[in-house]
Amino acid sequence: MAVNLLLGLQWGDEGKGKIVDVLTSKYDIIARFQGGPNAGHTLEFDGIKHVLHTIPSGIFHKNAINVVGNGVVIDPVIFKKELDNLDKYNIDYQSKLLISRKAHIILPTHRILDAASETAKGKAKIGSTLKGIGPTYMDKTGRNGLRIGDLELDNWKEKYRNLANKHESMIAFYNVDIQYDLPELEKEFFEAIKVLKSLTFIDSEEYLQQAQNDGKSILAEGAQGSLLDIDFGTYPFVTSSNTTAAGACTGLGVAPNKIKEVFGIFKAYTTRVGSGPFPTELFDETGERMAKIGNEFGATTGRPRRCGWLDLVVLKYAVQINGVTQLMMMKGDVLSGFDKLKVCTKYNYKGKEIDYLPFSIEEENVTPIYDEVEGWEEDLTKMTSEDQFPENLKKYIKYIEDFIGVPIKVVSVGPDRKQTILR
Ligand code: GDP
Ligand code: IMO
Ligand code: MG
């Protein structure tokens, strides 16, 4: 059986968690391949909203196995909180949650380093979620990191101490005013490690290979979005991992030729949380209305998300980089009631019209060029089939499909599991 891959095509928060949950019944294994608790994946069913940060979004289904892959960075403290939440709903995670021995661990000092780095940047800050993601991936590539598999060794605390000591000198080097109580943070960290150690650690690349040999189906769940990719995103305003398709290969040990479908998720408009360029951003009441109706607040930090029109230049770029085979359009319901909708089809880049993503999409270089389409009035949230869609929504869908050249196979019309229309 093949491995399918699901990832975000914009700046994150496209609705990945919701769709992974919807698709889980078709898969044996759901596997996260990168990122960490900077992610906030929201699932809604039976009137309850759940937010997952590190645990794959298949966890609420009875039979699926959920794997946290080697490319993920894990904060034991946040992981424990996620488990505590699952306990409230009697989810039996012990039997179906497996963690890669090669996944790296976020130390309390990684979080402090994140805060120190952001404070030192002043106005140029990334707008990080401050979960220690950047510093942990820096230690990974710098070959200093502490991994899940290390927790099985007798000397792991020594390794921990060496790394934490190094971090303390780095924090001092930043010379910024950040208050923290390390002994208190460590107490919480060591308690959480105990809980983490009660779970099953695996050699996940071997496990996933065996699963493929046994004909099991695997869905790889991306975090963040393609424009936050460390290589292909709006650098430096990005996260520290490869959020694009290649990240699934390195983050799980799955070979590129084993990946079959690539599901690309996008919002019917665009949002971004944190700093960095966003050509179609709206600063007027249209943007405010999207934010209000779309309830655009970060699932991890609660920060308001910036909103704007759909950017097809961005979408086309992300589809290309990822080899997307099917599109999924989320939050179309939020656009009901707009007389006209704008879609960005080109950029004016330093005085020239271009239709690709250039080196810099900063405001001083890029002005979006829009096409305008008719909006629709109807409330979509109770619709259960495409036949009920207003004509102008059908036209909007067709417009995007024609522009990108990839079919939209799922249209989401609300946050609930049930508000999902397959085409
Ligand atoms: P993720 O990070 O990609 O999993 O997305 P988030 O969970 O951070 O953000 C998506 C938000 O939109 C969540 O609050 C979802 O409950 C909500 N959502 C998902 N799909 C839809 C939809 O089709 N319509 C509306 N109105 N909300 C949606
Ligand atoms: P999900 O998986 C939206 C953004 C942050 C910041 C930048 C770097 O829920 O889509 P980091 O904490 O990685 O140092 O932050 O990336 N960011 C996200 N934005 N959704 C996410 O994840 C994000 N994860 C990180 O806001 O701009
Ligand atoms: Mg999110």
Side-chain angles (χ1 to χ4, degrees):
M1 281 291 260
V3 181
N4 290 346
L5 166 56
L6 179 146
L7 38 75
L9 300 179
Q10 297 159 319
W11 278 280
D13 303 330
E14 295 89 351
K16 300 173 292 292
K18 165 178 166 163
I19 294 295
V20 170
D21 171 59
V22 168
L23 295 179
T24 297
S25 54
K26 298 187 182 167
Y27 290 88
D28 298 306
I29 299 170
I30 309 296
R32 268 282 300 268
F33 58 87
Q34 46 68 233
N38 48 349
H41 294 182
T42 314
L43 290 66
E44 242 182 89
F45 52 88
D46 302 337
I48 301 167
K49 180 168 147 175
H50 302 274
V51 180
L52 294 166
H53 300 287
T54 334
I55 294 175
S57 302
I59 198 72
F60 292 99
H61 288 253
K62 260 214 163 74
N63 299 319
I65 297 290
N66 289 260
V67 174
V68 179
N70 58 280
V72 176
V73 290
I74 299 172
D75 183 332
V77 177
I78 296 179
F79 207 92
K80 179 179 176 299
K81 285 187 187 145
E82 291 189 65
L83 295 174
D84 290 344
N85 192 51
L86 294 179
D87 280 330
K88 281 190 215 148
Y89 297 95
N90 293 319
I91 304 297
D92 169 28
Y93 50 79
Q94 285 291 355
S95 64
K96 56 179 190 181
L97 181 58
L98 310 173
I99 305 178
S100 171
R101 289 199 171 89
K102 292 194 173 79
H104 281 245
I105 298 174
I106 302 176
L107 272 50
T109 41
H110 280 132
R111 289 203 304 265
I112 300 160
L113 272 171
D114 216 355
S117 163
E118 282 283 77
T119 308
K121 278 182 195 283
K123 273 198 181 132
K125 71 174 184 181
I126 310 293
S128 167
T129 60
L130 303 179
K131 302 296 175 195
I133 305 297
T136 306
Y137 280 113
M138 276 165 72
D139 271 334
K140 175 177 176 172
T141 51
R143 296 159 295 180
N144 298 312
L146 186 70
R147 298 188 292 174
I148 290 292
D150 290 327
L151 301 177
E152 294 171 326
L153 306 175
D154 292 336
N155 70 343
W156 79 267
K157 280 203 175 160
E158 203 180 306
K159 276 188 137 180
Y160 166 84
R161 182 51 54 208
N162 288 340
L163 192 53
N165 286 348
K166 188 186 85 165
H167 290 163
E168 282 200 277
S169 4
M170 289 165 73
I171 295 160
F173 171 81
Y174 275 111
N175 196 21
V176 287
D177 182 26
I178 289 182
Q179 306 295 326
Y180 61 94
D181 181 349
L182 192 54
E184 190 53 40
L185 293 171
E186 285 185 335
K187 197 170 139 224
E188 188 185 39
F189 178 76
F190 290 127
E191 282 299 314
I193 293 264
K194 273 193 221 152
V195 176
L196 203 61
K197 284 176 85 170
S198 73
L199 299 177
T200 309
F201 299 161
I202 58 165
D203 297 321
S204 55
E205 59 285 3
E206 188 55 32
Y207 178 88
L208 293 172
Q209 184 55 55
Q210 199 54 52
Q212 289 175 76
N213 296 346
D214 295 345
K216 300 255 162 71
S217 55
I218 302 170
L219 178 65
E221 173 180 2
Q224 287 80 55
S226 300
L227 274 291
L228 289 171
D229 182 278
I230 182 74
D231 283 281
F232 299 108
T234 46
Y235 193 89
F237 302 101
V238 292
T239 190
S240 298
S241 63
N242 282 115
T243 60
T244 45
C249 299
T250 55
L252 292 175
V254 166
N257 62 349
K258 295 293 187 299
I259 294 176
K260 193 167 172 231
E261 299 294 334
V262 181
F263 306 128
I265 300 214
F266 69 100
K267 273 180 195 166
Y269 49 102
T270 312
T271 65
R272 172 164 206 171
V273 61
S275 333
F278 176 1
T280 63
E281 182 169 13
L282 290 165
F283 300 94
D284 57 8
E285 52 194 38
T286 305
E288 278 164 27
R289 182 164 158 192
M290 287 173 181
K292 188 158 178 256
I293 302 176
N295 193 24
E296 296 295 356
F297 294 94
T300 294
T301 57
R303 292 177 294 174
R305 295 180 185 138
R306 302 153 63 192
C307 294
W309 295 117
L310 182 63
D311 187 336
L312 289 178
V313 182
V314 159
L315 208 61
K316 205 168 117 193
Y317 171 77
V319 165
Q320 182 182 312
I321 295 272
N322 292 304
V324 170
T325 59
Q326 299 184 24
L327 288 167
M328 301 175 166
M329 186 173 95
M330 314 298 289
K331 302 191 99 160
D333 55 296
V334 175
L335 294 184
S336 292
F338 285 97
D339 187 27
K340 305 261 186 213
L341 302 173
K342 284 189 181 182
V343 277
C344 168
T345 55
K346 281 187 208 142
Y347 292 151
N348 183 321
Y349 177 63
K350 299 182 177 174
K352 255 180 44 192
E353 271 191 22
I354 60 165
D355 62 359
Y356 64 90
L357 212 83
F359 179 71
S360 157
I361 58 166
E362 295 286 344
E363 203 180 346
E364 61 269 26
N365 294 325
V366 156
T367 320
I369 300 173
Y370 291 107
D371 203 355
E372 210 170 61
V373 298
E374 297 294 321
W376 56 88
E377 279 299 323
E378 293 83 343
D379 174 11
L380 311 181
T381 55
K382 296 196 177 57
M383 295 189 178
T384 51
S385 108
E386 199 184 338
D387 312 336
Q388 300 160 339
F389 283 173
E391 278 313 306
N392 286 344
L393 171 60
K394 288 184 189 164
K395 284 187 191 159
Y396 191 65
I397 291 172
K398 174 100 175 38
Y399 186 104
I400 299 166
E401 289 184 322
D402 287 348
F403 190 96
I404 306 288
V406 175
I408 297 179
K409 297 292 244 181
V410 173
V411 178
S412 173
V413 293
D416 194 90
R417 228 185 224 176
K418 292 199 183 110
Q419 292 169 301
T420 314
I421 296 170
L422 309 180
R423 306 174 75 215

